[in-house]
């Protein structure tokens, strides 16, 4: 039995990454899993790649920013202008060794010895970079999910779904509200906004899809770095939120000449 830290969307934010790793050491993580997008948006490309290599991920998958950044040229299609500028900047920072490391990550991966599948976007077509925002999209993902648990990222907005083994009130797929705290929701429980840990107890016979949010660029109105822990002994999945030195990251983004919007949104968490 073990504790698995699930990390996603680090986006070259070394301060957030290091804060998360400090928390992982505190709670005694055994293994690390990665859902993609190590680079993009922020300026600490080399440091984040170095930290990732040191972790020796048990399993890792590629994100869309990783995928486009390892191409030495070619238009960054499907990205807004700020993201595309960051990809072009990131390409210039990468060595051939860096590209080989990012390129070694597949688009989808089962984690050895666990009931867990990893994907950055969606299981049905991981290279198309689709999103899961609601129960309808989740139901489609569950059609391709053979494992009990699937972890994904990509949207930077944490959301989780539970697929029961039989219909409950005419529904098979339910959103797990306690996981999905969003500061933009005026009905959200204030306790969720303060807590640094949200826990889901896994039930036998159920399937789960967890979007764990983002370490490097949260977008749910909570600017803390978000990551998850799967505890195979306790049969729980928990989402942690960790504060970090946002001002330092913003200074690096500006010094690199990256778009101002990328610096501002770190503080806004959206």
């Amino acid at each position: 039995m073990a504790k698995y830290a699930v990390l996603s969307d680090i986006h070259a934010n070394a301060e957030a990454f290091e804060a998360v790793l400090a928390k992982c050491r505190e709670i005694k993580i055994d293994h690390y899993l990665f859902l993609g997008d190590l680079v993009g948006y922020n300026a600490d490309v080399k440091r984040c790649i170095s930290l990732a290599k040191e972790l020796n991920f048990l399993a890792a998958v590629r994100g869309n920013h990783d995928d486009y950044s390892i191409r030495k040229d070619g238009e960054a299609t499907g990205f807004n202008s700020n993201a595309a500028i960051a990809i072009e900047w990131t390409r210039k920072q990468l060595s051939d060794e860096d590209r080989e490391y990012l390129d070694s990550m597949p688009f989808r991966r089962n984690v050895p010895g666990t009931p867990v599948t990893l994907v950055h976007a969606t299981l049905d077509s991981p290279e198309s970079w689709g999103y899961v925002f609601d129960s309808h999209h989740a139901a489609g993902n569950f059609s391709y999910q053979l494992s009990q648990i699937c972890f994904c990222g990509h949207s930077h907005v944490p959301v989780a779904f539970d697929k029961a083994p039989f219909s409950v009130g005419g529904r098979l797929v339910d959103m797990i509200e306690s996981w999905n705290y969003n500061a933009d929701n005026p009905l959200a429980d204030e306790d969720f906004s303060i807590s640094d840990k949200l826990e889901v107890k896994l039930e036998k016979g159920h399937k789960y899809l967890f979007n764990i949010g983002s370490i490097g660029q949260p977008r749910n109105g909570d600017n803390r770095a978000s990551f998850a822990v799967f505890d195979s002994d306790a049969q729980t999945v928990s989402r942690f939120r960790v504060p970090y030195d946002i001002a330092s990251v913003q200074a690096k983004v500006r010094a690199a000449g990256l778009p101002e919007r990328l610096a501002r949104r770190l503080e806004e968490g959206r």
Side-chain angles (χ1 to χ4, degrees):
M1 300 297 183
K3 288 183 180 179
Y4 301 81
V6 191
L7 316 178
S8 189
D9 296 279
I10 293 166
H11 284 298
N13 184 334
E15 280 80 357
F17 196 0
E18 289 172 337
V20 164
L21 295 183
K23 185 67 175 181
C24 288
R25 290 190 292 271
E26 175 189 324
I27 60 179
K28 296 180 170 49
I29 291 298
D30 299 295
H31 302 289
Y32 292 86
L33 311 176
F34 180 55
L35 303 179
D37 276 357
L38 185 56
V39 300
Y41 291 129
N42 298 301
D44 254 326
V45 174
K46 291 291 190 181
R47 177 60 179 156
C48 287
I49 290 176
S50 177
L51 287 169
K53 287 181 176 179
E54 290 173 10
L55 291 180
N56 191 25
F57 295 128
L58 180 62
V61 294
R62 185 187 315 186
N64 55 321
H65 285 255
D66 304 324
D67 191 47
Y68 277 88
S69 293
I70 62 178
R71 308 176 190 184
K72 292 186 177 181
D73 53 28
E75 185 179 355
T77 56
F79 293 88
N80 65 47
S81 60
N82 290 332
I85 290 169
I87 284 174
E88 288 300 327
W89 182 88
T90 299
R91 285 173 174 171
K92 297 173 184 176
Q93 316 308 311
L94 297 175
S95 66
D96 288 341
E97 183 181 343
D98 295 333
R99 290 188 184 90
E100 288 174 9
Y101 176 67
L102 295 174
D103 196 32
S104 70
M105 298 178 187
F107 292 99
R108 176 174 47 203
R109 180 82 192 276
N110 295 323
V111 181
T114 75
V116 173
T117 301
L118 309 181
V119 69
H120 183 67
T122 61
L123 287 174
D124 59 332
S125 182
E127 297 172 56
S128 296
W129 312 117
Y131 293 92
V132 177
F133 286 119
D134 54 34
S135 296
H136 173 73
H137 292 114
N141 200 81
F142 280 126
S143 299
Y144 293 85
Q145 184 176 323
L146 302 180
S147 60
Q148 183 191 19
I149 304 165
C150 178
F151 290 110
C152 69
H154 191 36
S155 70
H156 300 207
V157 177
V159 62
F161 302 92
D162 175 354
K163 183 179 184 295
F166 49 84
S167 176
V168 178
R171 299 190 311 277
L172 277 174
V173 177
D174 274 321
M175 185 178 286
I176 304 174
E177 296 293 345
S178 62
W179 181 273
N180 305 331
Y181 170 76
N182 188 323
D184 294 329
N185 179 1
L187 301 179
D189 189 326
E190 287 299 319
D191 289 343
F192 291 153
S193 69
I194 297 168
S195 172
D196 66 354
K197 179 182 178 182
L198 308 173
E199 183 176 283
V200 174
K201 180 70 175 178
L202 304 177
E203 298 184 59
K204 289 184 179 180
H206 289 237
K207 283 186 177 181
Y208 297 90
L209 172 62
F210 293 98
N211 184 314
I212 67 169
S214 171
I215 289 176
Q217 195 197 78
R219 295 179 187 167
N220 66 320
D222 184 338
N223 63 18
R224 291 174 291 180
S226 177
F227 76 103
V229 173
F230 167 49
D231 187 326
S232 61
D233 187 17
Q235 283 295 288
T236 58
V237 174
S238 302
R239 186 164 73 85
F240 289 82
R241 286 84 64 78
V242 180
Y244 68 93
D245 185 353
I246 292 173
S248 290
V249 186
Q250 290 176 312
K252 293 177 183 178
V253 168
R254 290 168 177 139
L258 291 166
E260 173 62 21
R261 168 65 178 144
L262 299 181
R264 287 202 316 270
R265 74 184 310 172
L266 294 173
E267 187 172 357
E268 297 167 0
R270 66 185 79 243

